Amino acid sequence: MNINTELISEASSEMLLGQGVESKAVRYGDNLKILPKASVEDLRKIDRECVSWGDTVHYQENPILVSSCQGGLVFDNDANTYIDTGMWHSSCNFGYRNPQIESEVLRQFQTLPQACGDFLHSEKLLIAQQVVDAIYERTGIKGRVSFNVGGSLVVEDALKIVRKNTGKNKVAVMMGAYHGRSLATLNLSSSHRYRQYFNEFPERAIMFPFANCSQCFYEKERDTCDLYCASMIGKAFENEYYGIASANSSEIGAMVIEPCQGRGYTIPPKDFYQKFLTDLRERGILIVADEIQVGMYRTGKLFAFEHFGFVPDIITLSKSFTNGLSPVSLVWARADLVDPKVFTPGHAHSNFANHPLGTAAALATWRYMMAQDYEISVPAKGEYFLAKLRQLQARHPFVYSVDGLGLLLNMVFADERGVPYRNSAQLAAAIAQDNDFTWLGKTWRMILQTGGYDLNVLKFAPYLDISYEEIDRTIGVLDQVLQKLGPMLSTQSLATGGVK
């Protein structure tokens, strides 16, 4: 049936809707305009013909066409319900459509939804104070903050602070690091495939092996290695002939660290950083903590670096800083590094860097977060979740290891020798989202995040208010996913992919 989308009377619109035409009504004064709703196939045709596939949507062969979300669940246009175990790559730590946060954004929309970045407004100033005070309480260090609109941009702002204060362009990072995909942050992100299409990167960071103990770069065993990887980082600065530093100088202005890596939610030993960061500080090298995925109580502490016995000079936040609403990101730096006489107006700017909807979302998120008992509840729920993952490990021999810190958890697929089943996590994610599973009489699907150096790691970052019953449901459905995955893995095909 063809619908005339000219303005029609409300009575006429009711007649059309009553005939079962799926449509959307838009009010114009006393009239309604009926807009036909595109079918799922219509929308997928648009995706095939009009949208660039350079984003991450098309990592999956059949991307989910979402229609709504709530708490820890996502719903699609075909009425399927998905348990989201990743919460938008840890962008919604406090649940989809959190009413206490969403209501503040709606209130802001009705009062001051737009304001030029040249102006001040209360939400920007109040969230700045909240962050500065919280970091001072935890570190004893006074700092200042500035804002941007995304993770990559706020990491770039951190690099500006490094260059301004050290006069050096080069930084160090860890293998497996992910700090963004802008041209500047591609210098830091370790994956070569992100850079391979864009010519040379002359300022590419120096990369050191991370303490990824389930897949050690040096092929050591954790029980006997004495953190050999950390020792090698310190050793690289001992002699001028190692090409990085001399007795009184270094080419490196900063080391940029994800305290726990987003690539596979990899959690290093607690004393890893302490073995080399002191030596770096003595050379005047700044420490940047990228907390974009692992901050905001994801690990059971406000910042992940709090677990590892060091205090950074610069901290970046994004993702859950606004719980995924009206994005605003933030960089905190020691006060001396961004003193107004050092970092003068115009050093860092983006047109929407501190827009009022975003700063209102950040302020509401921060207030909600600090009113909870996450330092108690997240470690407790994390231990429960990890215990359930260990039960799955005992049942499924291809689960090589599981690990967790708070509600940041991982599951590694490898054979008994630790040889990864390449691409197995990607296959598990496809199984989880494309098939129906039953738990307590209801039908569920599942969204799984994948990672690891060989795409053989499942990453779990459920929303922090998840209940124990929801954890049980997640594990119950995941068990069924693993039952389907197991027969599809092959030790004979490890060299070419690890899946049949």
Side-chain angles (χ1 to χ4, degrees), residues 213-489:
C213 298
S214 70
Q215 196 173 344
C216 177
F217 179 84
Y218 295 107
E219 299 184 346
K220 302 285 187 179
E221 295 294 332
R222 175 66 190 98
D223 294 339
T224 58
C225 75
D226 193 29
L227 284 175
Y228 182 83
C229 55
S231 300
M232 290 301 98
I233 295 173
K235 189 176 182 65
F237 292 85
E238 289 180 358
N239 192 300
E240 67 174 287
Y241 295 102
Y242 296 150
I244 299 173
S246 62
N248 57 7
S249 182
S250 168
E251 293 184 357
I252 294 173
M255 175 169 274
V256 185
I257 292 169
E258 292 172 286
C260 303
Q261 284 196 336
R263 165 61 53 197
Y265 288 169
T266 313
I267 302 158
K270 290 292 179 70
D271 53 347
F272 172 62
Y273 296 109
Q274 298 173 33
K275 283 187 171 288
F276 61 87
L277 286 187
T278 300
D279 292 341
L280 270 59
R281 285 193 185 281
E282 290 176 353
R283 295 178 176 276
I285 296 172
L286 299 175
I287 309 303
V288 181
D290 182 341
E291 295 269 348
I292 289 170
Q293 280 200 68
V294 298
M296 308 286 285
Y297 284 109
R298 170 54 59 194
T299 63
K301 292 187 180 294
L302 180 55
F303 303 107
F305 70 77
E306 296 180 73
H307 294 280
F308 299 102
F310 74 93
V311 176
D313 303 291
I314 300 169
I315 302 167
T316 60
L317 291 175
S318 187
K319 292 186 184 293
S320 279
F321 184 54
T322 61
N323 203 41
L325 292 170
S326 295
V328 162
S329 53
L330 172 143
V331 58
W332 172 95
R334 276 183 6 224
D336 59 299
L337 299 176
V338 288
D339 185 280
K341 295 178 181 178
V342 176
F343 226 61
T344 54
H347 269 68
H349 171 72
S350 174
N351 193 55
F352 296 99
N354 44 231
H355 64 100
L357 286 177
T359 50
L363 181 61
T365 298
W366 198 271
R367 286 172 169 169
Y368 174 85
M369 174 184 70
M370 300 304 281
Q372 313 307 312
D373 64 346
Y374 288 140
E375 289 214 29
I376 297 172
S377 65
V378 169
K381 291 175 181 178
E383 282 298 318
Y384 184 82
F385 202 128
L386 183 59
K388 293 289 184 178
L389 291 178
R390 287 180 177 138
Q391 292 175 7
L392 295 183
Q393 180 185 9
R395 279 204 292 276
H396 301 282
F398 53 89
V399 178
Y400 180 72
S401 67
V402 297
D403 198 7
L405 184 62
L407 284 170
L408 184 89
L409 306 112
N410 66 62
M411 172 179 280
V412 178
F413 299 137
D415 71 6
E416 67 279 0
R417 299 163 295 165
V419 178
Y421 289 103
R422 295 193 183 100
N423 305 313
S424 51
Q426 198 78 348
L427 178 58
I431 292 170
Q433 77 166 44
D434 294 340
N435 293 275
D436 292 329
F437 303 92
T438 302
W439 178 255
L440 297 182
K442 294 185 178 180
T443 300
W444 307 91
R445 295 186 176 193
M446 179 176 278
I447 297 168
L448 292 174
Q449 286 188 156
T450 65
Y453 297 171
D454 293 280
L455 280 177
N456 66 315
V457 179
L458 293 182
K459 311 188 302 180
F460 303 100
Y463 75 117
L464 303 189
D465 296 316
I466 190 172
S467 68
Y468 288 95
E469 292 77 13
E470 288 174 307
I471 295 174
D472 289 342
R473 181 180 65 198
T474 300
I475 295 296
V477 175
L478 179 61
D479 188 19
Q480 297 173 59
V481 172
L482 298 182
Q483 290 174 33
K484 285 182 173 289
L485 175 67
M488 304 174 77
L489 303 180

